[in-house]
Amino acid sequence: MRCVIFSNNQKKCQELQDLLQDTGLEVFTYSEVLNREITVIEDGVTFDQNATKKVLAISQLKQDILIADDSGLEVDVLDGRPGVYSARYGGEGLSDSQRCEHVLRQIENVKNRSARFVCSIAIVFPEKPVETVQGIVEGALTGQLQGNAGFGYDPIFIPVGYDRTFAELGTEIKHKISHRSRALAQVKDKINDFLAEN
Ligand code: IMP
């Protein structure tokens, strides 16, 4: 059976593909299957709403298991921002590093650095309604960018229990504890239940 991922972010697709490897499903990105690019306007006010909107953008694939994620960084002293605006925070056209620097400038000299990554995954099984699950990893923001692995805000995020950023810890450790892997663990339970029943 196929699992089709909706995302235009190549690094995120790769993470999801890595994490789904042990399900026994054939995992594809939607562009490999549909041979075209689909743009979804992410105007939801929650991660769940945006993930749902994205997964429904490929609902024409009725025989497959479909998944889409929406994720972002919530910084406590910024009242949860960048949140659902994480991908475009600070303006369009910024690089990942510039976006990290933008966040750090906003909390310069601020003592409370607590933050979390949140990931909502929407999943659709053939002929079933959309379901959503959430994974969270708590942590703290650094004062400067550290490390080269990963993407997005990884160079400024230190997960609880570690003293290095996700970008320094590398993908193996990140995959064990990340918001995305925690959400995906719940997705895998649903996939296994589905496969057992069908
Ligand atoms: P979207 O879910 O594609 O709308 O984008 C989420 C944005 O949140 C990404 O572009 C990143 O900036 C940020 N983000 C989400 N997950 C991660 C992660 O695992 N590491 C670093 N940044 C992330």
Side-chain angles (χ1 to χ4, degrees), residues 7 9 12 15 42 54 69-73 83-84 86-87 96 99 117-118 151-154 166 174 178-180:
S7 178
N9 178 332
K12 203 197 269 186
E15 277 200 8
E42 295 180 32
K54 290 181 198 176
D69 95 333
D70 195 60
S71 50
L73 178 72
V84 288
S86 292
D96 279 356
R99 249 178 254 290
F117 275 124
V118 181
F151 68 98
Y153 300 98
D154 281 344
F166 266 156
K174 185 181 174 190
S178 78
H179 49 314
R180 194 162 294 105

Side-chain angles (χ1 to χ4, degrees), residues 48-113:
D48 278 1
Q49 283 173 4
N50 282 334
T52 299
K53 210 173 165 191
K54 290 181 198 176
V55 86
L56 291 177
I58 52 168
S59 59
Q60 67 267 40
L61 299 168
K62 294 191 188 301
Q63 319 271 318
D64 302 311
I65 297 174
L66 312 177
I67 65 172
D69 95 333
D70 195 60
S71 50
L73 178 72
E74 292 182 346
V75 181
D76 286 334
V77 293
L78 298 178
D79 295 326
R81 287 190 312 276
V84 288
Y85 307 107
S86 292
R88 52 189 190 279
Y89 200 54
E92 302 291 338
L94 295 189
S95 65
D96 279 356
S97 310
Q98 287 170 323
R99 249 178 254 290
C100 287
E101 277 157 9
H102 178 69
V103 169
L104 292 185
R105 267 197 303 277
Q106 291 193 302
I107 59 166
E108 213 172 345
N109 301 321
V110 174
K111 210 167 163 209
N112 177 4
R113 318 286 298 178

Side-chain angles (χ1 to χ4, degrees), residues 97 144-150 154-156 164-170:
S97 310
Q144 60 189 23
L145 277 72
Q146 296 170 208
N148 299 311
D154 281 344
I156 59 169
R164 288 180 295 160
T165 65
F166 266 156
E168 293 174 301
L169 291 168

